[in-house]
Amino acid sequence: MGDLELLLPGEADVLVRGLRSFQLRDMGSRGWNQQHENLEKLNMQAILDATASQGEPIQELLVTHGKIPTLVEELIAVEMWKQKVFPVLCKLEDFKPQNTFPIYMVLHHEASIINLLETMFFHKEVCESAEDTVLDLVDYCHRKLTLLVAQSGRGAPPEEESQYSSPMQELQKQAELMEFEIALKALSVLRYITDCVDSLSLSTLSRMLSTHNLPCLLVELLEHSPWSRREGGKLQQFESGRWQTVTPSEQQKLSKLDGQVWIALYNLLLSPEARARYCLTSFAKGQLLKLRAFLTDTLLDQLPNLADLQGFLAHLALTEAQPPKKDLVLEQIPEIWERLERENKGKWQAIAKHQLWHVFSPSEQDLRLQARRWAETYRLDVLEAVAPEQPRCAYCSAEASKRCSRCQNEWYCCRECQVKHWEKHGKACVLAVQGDRAK
């Protein structure tokens, strides 16, 4: 592994071998929390390895031990928990948590897994090792991107600057912002799946092109560009977990997310396997021809391969639209979501009540122990190595050079910002220090 190691090779092997699926009612339990910590360690080590460009043993271990399907199932399970159990939990009369940290960990679990999958699916052999669960992953990505398009009409969620009257309101705001970031990660995962389009099963291709009509959905994403916005007359783009102002000289530069959409479209429209199966109906033709307005000389200079896509669209404009196909096709369908929904149907309230009393009402001692464990997981030297850029002030988002002297977790640009942020940071800071002293 790289020069900076969070896990030794033997430790990584043990953690990967131990990955398993959990029932929805067990999310947030002690065993589940242990696996969440293990996934975070694998996640950080995978990023370190990718950054060091010295081989990627985490990817090799996940493929060797056949754990990619397990990760996909866990991803969809926590997505279902967030949709079916979390809203019920929030409405329970007895639900008045003193500390929302345990619930935040469950909400964050989806982000942890999709982040790890984004790093892994860069390698084509990972897509192959996903086996039949690639169908479930395609459906998952489609759900996230559909929500992203729908959200673009309302504007992307703001950053966490507002003050909220209760911890639960703040938690729900964090969950909203997290959902936005998860959707952007799902876009990257989908793009990596399209890199393997010529080796995907016919069922997966049919799911992408016929059932979900992903090319048309990707056109909508380009039109709405939910990762860009105007604030105070300035162009901002969402990158590295926050909104950043784009300087006038950089505004013609292709963003990473726009690039992912263009590459996915290129793969889906120009791959021989996909072209043979994609029905170019009048609706699809009309949607795809919108792309011509985006194919400027500046874009083609940055992605020269798109000249082939430009030629495809010129030809498409002159051809007749195809009638919808009515062929009888026998194909596999994704089964994880339907199976989990079938197994837990009518049990959402019971699961929420069980978790209220047995999972999300920890004692002070349990919280201190958990804080200590997280301090050990998130080593500062590792976090600094995987950080994409200079630390940012927790209050105003300016570049920061000072760290909270008590917990060492938050960064600030000046003393004034630290004082203003204390009302929000204080409880977490005290908890982290208590956990550190309990070692």
Side-chain angles (χ1 to χ4, degrees):
M1 295 188 183
D3 295 335
L4 180 60
E5 288 186 340
L6 176 66
L7 297 170
L8 296 172
E11 292 176 318
D13 185 76
V14 170
L15 296 190
V16 170
R17 284 177 181 269
L19 293 176
R20 65 185 181 91
S21 299
F22 282 82
Q23 294 183 2
L24 264 63
R25 75 191 305 270
D26 293 329
M27 288 187 176
S29 65
R30 185 168 298 180
W32 183 92
N33 267 310
Q34 181 62 64
Q35 176 156 296
H36 180 66
E37 291 170 26
N38 294 344
L39 274 171
E40 288 287 20
K41 292 175 182 177
L42 291 170
N43 214 340
M44 288 187 283
Q45 187 62 60
I47 294 171
L48 289 173
D49 294 335
T51 304
S53 301
Q54 295 180 0
E56 301 198 25
I58 302 301
Q59 170 248 315
E60 294 168 8
L61 287 170
L62 288 168
V63 171
T64 300
H65 298 307
K67 294 298 183 179
I68 297 298
T70 304
L71 290 178
V72 174
E73 180 158 351
E74 275 292 277
L75 178 71
I76 293 171
V78 75
E79 178 197 19
M80 179 168 286
W81 183 91
K82 287 168 67 174
Q83 287 190 27
K84 304 287 189 178
V85 179
F86 183 53
V88 176
L89 189 66
C90 292
K91 292 177 183 177
L92 292 178
E93 290 184 9
D94 298 334
F95 187 62
K96 297 171 183 174
Q98 298 300 311
N99 192 298
T100 57
F101 183 71
I103 310 169
Y104 177 82
M105 284 299 102
V106 180
L107 294 172
H108 187 260
H109 191 60
E110 185 180 5
S112 299
I113 299 176
I114 195 66
N115 195 66
L116 181 57
L117 289 176
E118 181 192 29
T119 307
M120 296 298 101
F121 267 77
F122 177 78
H123 306 276
K124 292 188 177 182
E125 56 267 33
V126 172
C127 189
E128 295 169 3
S129 73
E131 300 175 344
D132 293 342
T133 61
V134 75
L135 276 166
D136 298 274
L137 190 55
V138 165
D139 267 31
Y140 171 88
C141 293
H142 174 259
R143 288 192 293 272
K144 295 299 177 184
L145 298 188
T146 301
L147 287 172
L148 197 57
V149 169
Q151 185 184 58
S152 64
R154 306 192 306 269
E159 293 181 282
E160 306 166 60
E161 294 181 0
S162 303
Q163 297 297 315
Y164 292 91
S165 58
S166 74
M168 278 308 299
Q169 286 177 315
E170 187 172 336
L171 181 68
Q172 288 168 332
K173 188 62 191 175
Q174 290 172 334
E176 183 184 352
L177 180 62
M178 203 184 304
E179 190 67 27
F180 178 68
E181 295 186 55
I182 287 168
L184 300 183
K185 296 287 184 183
L187 172 59
S188 294
V189 170
L190 180 66
R191 174 255 146 138
Y192 292 137
I193 293 174
T194 67
D195 285 346
C196 307
V197 70
D198 287 331
S199 59
L200 293 174
S201 69
L202 294 180
S203 294
T204 305
L205 270 180
S206 175
R207 198 85 184 163
M208 296 170 78
L209 299 171
S210 301
T211 307
H212 297 317
N213 199 349
L214 287 179
C216 288
L217 179 60
L218 292 170
V219 172
E220 288 194 68
L221 277 175
L222 279 179
E223 282 188 297
H224 295 290
S225 191
W227 44 84
S228 300
R229 70 182 186 186
R230 289 274 174 184
E231 280 289 313
K234 295 181 179 179
L235 176 65
Q236 293 186 333
Q237 290 181 343
F238 195 85
E239 195 171 329
S240 302
R242 66 185 186 87
W243 289 102
Q244 302 183 44
T245 300
V246 183
T247 61
S249 61
E250 294 285 310
Q251 289 185 10
Q252 294 299 314
K253 185 178 178 182
L254 184 68
S255 73
K256 178 183 175 182
L257 289 163
D258 281 306
Q260 298 284 44
V261 177
W262 281 113
I263 295 171
L265 279 166
Y266 181 92
N267 291 336
L268 290 174
L269 295 175
L270 297 186
S271 157
E273 288 291 329
R275 286 184 69 173
R277 286 168 176 78
Y278 187 42
C279 184
L280 290 164
T281 61
S282 57
F283 172 76
K285 178 180 176 180
Q287 288 293 101
L288 295 178
L289 289 179
K290 292 178 181 179
L291 294 172
R292 292 186 297 179
F294 295 95
L295 287 166
T296 62
D297 291 340
T298 304
L299 177 60
L300 292 173
D301 286 341
Q302 296 175 74
L303 277 179
N305 286 354
L306 293 184
D308 295 333
L309 180 59
Q310 192 176 44
F312 165 80
L313 294 172
H315 177 72
L316 177 63
L318 301 174
T319 58
E320 291 290 330
Q322 300 172 351
K325 291 182 179 179
K326 298 181 180 180
D327 299 339
L328 177 63
V329 179
L330 299 177
E331 60 181 37
Q332 289 176 283
I333 59 172
E335 62 88 27
I336 295 175
W337 179 277
E338 288 189 6
R339 172 170 54 78
L340 290 173
E341 196 167 39
R342 186 171 60 250
E343 291 172 354
N344 296 283
K345 187 177 181 181
K347 301 177 183 177
W348 312 120
Q349 181 109 358
I351 293 171
K353 287 185 176 180
H354 167 81
Q355 292 182 326
L356 168 63
W357 296 111
H358 300 284
V359 177
F360 298 133
S361 300
S363 64
E364 283 294 320
Q365 184 178 359
D366 289 337
L367 283 172
R368 290 194 192 100
L369 178 62
Q370 190 63 51
R372 186 186 73 185
R373 293 172 67 93
W374 280 105
E376 292 170 352
T377 299
Y378 287 110
R379 280 172 32 195
L380 294 178
D381 57 340
V382 175
L383 287 177
E384 288 171 1
V386 301
E389 55 184 24
Q390 174 83 13
R392 294 280 169 174
C393 177
Y395 185 77
C396 72
S397 297
E399 287 193 1
S401 58
K402 307 177 190 305
R403 183 181 269 160
C404 175
S405 59
R406 297 186 69 190
C407 69
Q408 297 289 306
N409 290 335
E410 292 284 18
W411 288 85
Y412 298 98
C413 63
C414 61
R415 174 69 178 165
E416 184 181 357
C417 280
Q418 184 177 9
V419 172
K420 290 179 179 177
H421 192 247
W422 177 251
E423 183 179 352
K424 183 176 180 180
H425 173 57
K427 291 182 181 179
C429 182
V430 171
L431 188 63
V433 172
Q434 288 175 340
D436 203 39
R437 287 173 181 165
K439 291 183 182 180

